[in-house]
Amino acid sequence: MNSPRHRHLALLGFLGLSLLASWFVFRNAFWAGAVIAPLDIGPALYSKYAWLDPQSSGIPANHYIIDHLQYDLPQQYSIYQAYQSGEIPWWDPYAFGGRPFLADAHVNGLDPIRVVMYRLLPFVWAYNWTLILHSILTGLGMFLLLRQFGQSPASACWLSLAYQFAGCYIMFIGHPWIRATFLYYPFLWLVWHQAVRGGRLLLVAPAGLLVAAAMYAGNLQSNSYLIIFAGIFAVAYGWRDFQTWKKLVVVLGLSLVLGAALAAPLVSAEVELFVLGSRPILDRKSTRLNSSHS
């Protein structure tokens, strides 16, 4: 069962089941017959959108993901229009009187998958398939990782499908940077494993690309998770083995530095926005005192 032919068949079997399960979850969105967003919230909760569905009962199917409609969908359409015009959407002229765009924590506008989809497809197709591919790649990465650790094709398949459709990903589908970032972690774990245990140090290059992709898909908060993930990986693999620690320092250090360097155009803008957005908390008593003296 470990022959290349059986491994390939197992992989194709998982991809088939993943596509089938994705079709069941996303239904008409596969063919752009619907958009993956809670459009029924508009006419249900806001009178100015009642004309969209005069028969609305006033109770949306899922009120919890309202940010998906009010925040994610409109800004993704702005990003799509910019890419279609051959521009990089660094600035949003429509919200809050103008603001930095791609440096915003929520945007996910430089996610490599999203950029490719937005350049190639009409908006509804591109928006839907960005989220669908996020889902499929999440399961694929976990399947490859479990197979690397010796799980049987059947157990790896079912565990990966459970991970692909985990409640945390479904609940936060309106926060696209979450799954878009974490889908790279199983692939990164797999490459780091091969580099450290297999002694294949040249894998630092693809590991760096995966780190960069996770940074472009995420934000400053999710970038910190990469450091935490690398630290846990190092402790688990190195423990008391000094020789392994030497490999870990080289592999993890170079991967993170390379990834950060490749993602510097976005990360530097995020850091600048974070620093400029800092507001000190003033003491009320001293403020009143200064006011009276003036």
Side-chain angles (χ1 to χ4, degrees), residues 165-244:
F165 297 103
C168 58
Y169 291 136
I170 301 301
M171 183 176 295
F172 291 106
I173 192 171
H175 302 268
W177 60 269
I178 295 177
R179 189 197 286 268
T181 299
F182 289 129
L183 73 85
Y184 293 104
Y185 279 59
F187 293 103
L188 186 58
W189 186 342
L190 184 61
V191 174
W192 278 349
H193 174 85
Q194 294 285 354
V196 173
R197 290 288 170 84
R200 301 164 63 182
L201 297 182
L202 291 178
L203 290 176
V204 165
L209 292 175
L210 289 169
V211 170
M215 288 183 169
Y216 273 115
N219 50 48
L220 288 182
Q221 180 181 347
S222 64
N223 293 345
S224 67
Y225 300 160
L226 283 166
I227 305 299
I228 296 172
F229 179 58
I232 295 172
F233 182 94
V235 171
Y237 276 69
W239 198 234
R240 299 179 181 179
D241 187 343
F242 179 72
Q243 296 300 319
T244 301

Side-chain angles (χ1 to χ4, degrees), residues 72-247:
D72 184 60
L73 187 61
Q75 71 181 9
Q76 291 304 331
Y77 186 64
S78 297
I79 293 170
Y80 175 82
Q81 288 181 311
Y83 283 140
Q84 287 291 306
S85 301
E87 303 172 357
I88 296 178
W90 287 112
W91 183 259
D92 174 16
Y94 304 110
F96 307 110
R99 64 179 179 125
F101 207 4
L102 293 182
D104 186 277
H106 184 96
V107 166
N108 187 233
L110 279 177
D111 170 16
I113 297 170
R114 189 178 298 280
V115 173
V116 172
M117 293 293 102
Y118 281 13
R119 288 290 296 169
L120 297 179
L121 299 175
F123 176 69
V124 174
W125 283 90
Y127 184 80
N128 287 349
W129 273 93
T130 297
L131 298 175
I132 293 170
L133 286 176
H134 284 169
S135 175
I136 293 172
L137 289 173
T138 297
L140 175 62
M142 182 56 65
F143 178 81
L144 294 175
L145 182 64
L146 291 174
R147 291 289 289 148
Q148 171 65 49
F149 292 148
Q151 291 290 327
S152 68
S155 63
C157 180
W158 297 120
L159 289 171
S160 299
L161 287 174
Y163 179 70
Q164 178 176 337
F165 297 103
C168 58
Y169 291 136
I170 301 301
M171 183 176 295
F172 291 106
I173 192 171
H175 302 268
W177 60 269
I178 295 177
R179 189 197 286 268
T181 299
F182 289 129
L183 73 85
Y184 293 104
Y185 279 59
F187 293 103
L188 186 58
W189 186 342
L190 184 61
V191 174
W192 278 349
H193 174 85
Q194 294 285 354
V196 173
R197 290 288 170 84
R200 301 164 63 182
L201 297 182
L202 291 178
L203 290 176
V204 165
L209 292 175
L210 289 169
V211 170
M215 288 183 169
Y216 273 115
N219 50 48
L220 288 182
Q221 180 181 347
S222 64
N223 293 345
S224 67
Y225 300 160
L226 283 166
I227 305 299
I228 296 172
F229 179 58
I232 295 172
F233 182 94
V235 171
Y237 276 69
W239 198 234
R240 299 179 181 179
D241 187 343
F242 179 72
Q243 296 300 319
T244 301
W245 270 102
K246 290 195 295 185
K247 292 181 183 178

Side-chain angles (χ1 to χ4, degrees), residues 6-22:
H6 285 106
R7 288 197 297 269
H8 292 156
L9 287 175
L11 177 59
L12 290 174
F14 169 75
L15 287 175
L17 287 173
S18 178
L19 280 169
L20 183 62
S22 298

Side-chain angles (χ1 to χ4, degrees), residues 37-60:
L39 299 183
D40 64 324
I41 289 178
L45 299 184
Y46 303 105
S47 58
K48 63 182 178 180
Y49 295 123
W51 60 272
L52 290 171
D53 184 9
Q55 306 302 320
S56 173
S57 66
I59 303 175

